[in-house]
Amino acid sequence: MPRLTKIYTRKGDDGTTALGSRQRVPKESPRVASYGTVDELDSVIGIALAHGLAPRLNETLPVIQNELFHLGSDLCFTEEDKEKYQIPLIEARHVEKLEAIIDELNPIVGRLENFILPGGCPGAAYLHLARTVCRRAEREVAALSRDEAIGDYVLAYLNRLSDLLFVMSRYENKERGVEEPLWDSRL
């Protein structure tokens, strides 16, 4: 566990930041952008939780937030450095757990008959926002993976999580009795 005795170090004033291994890289590097967007995603989920969600989501999302910290640590260490440090990683079991939750909630929300616009109740709207940030994280990690090795399950986790956040937004609207805003292709 990291122990922060001082919040500011002034080391980043030159436009660099340290990876988990303390290797300095530019703050705009694809690796930093990737785990920075994962951090943003975690914050948006925190906003959704702070606004109050259905009990099933309140139970599940804090666990996912913790897993996003695993994912961030997975990304802030290069594959070579992961051999030197014992850090939490995203594993197949994390992806499988997301799939199980999708399989649990999807029959409750029912078949998708039309494209859904982001919105509905506030919690669902924040979950839609989280979904879009998750998709951006997935794109950034995919770009990173073209140049550098990443954890075996990072992309699959983000892909499945964005699907789950979509289902959760539908679930939240259903639990609140709020109609899903549908796309009208004729407008």
Side-chain angles (χ1 to χ4, degrees), residues 42-59:
D42 211 348
S43 296
V44 174
I45 291 172
I47 292 170
L49 284 164
H51 278 79
L53 297 171
R56 180 65 178 107
L57 305 184
N58 277 330
E59 163 192 319

Side-chain angles (χ1 to χ4, degrees), residues 61-133:
L61 285 169
V63 175
I64 289 171
Q65 285 188 294
N66 196 72
E67 290 170 355
L68 287 171
F69 263 73
H70 288 11
L71 197 143
S73 74
D74 204 322
L75 287 169
C76 85
F77 283 85
T78 64
E79 293 306 294
E80 302 79 43
D81 287 338
K82 288 177 191 174
E83 296 173 13
K84 298 177 202 169
Y85 301 90
Q86 290 188 335
I87 59 165
L89 303 173
I90 290 296
E91 301 170 358
R93 67 184 172 93
H94 296 109
V95 176
E96 292 162 3
K97 189 169 67 171
L98 296 179
E99 291 171 350
I101 300 167
I102 292 169
D103 292 344
E104 171 197 339
L105 298 180
N106 207 39
I108 297 169
V109 299
R111 203 168 138 225
L112 191 59
E113 301 287 338
N114 195 359
F115 286 109
I116 296 170
L117 299 175
C121 67
Y126 282 117
L127 291 168
H128 275 292
L129 178 59
R131 173 188 55 80
T132 63
V133 174

Side-chain angles (χ1 to χ4, degrees), residues 164-183:
L164 176 57
L165 290 166
F166 176 73
V167 172
M168 285 179 159
S169 70
R170 295 189 71 210
Y171 180 84
E172 180 66 12
N173 276 330
K174 186 163 187 80
E175 287 291 298
R176 302 286 179 208
V178 174
E179 289 276 326
E180 292 179 311
L182 300 177
W183 177 48

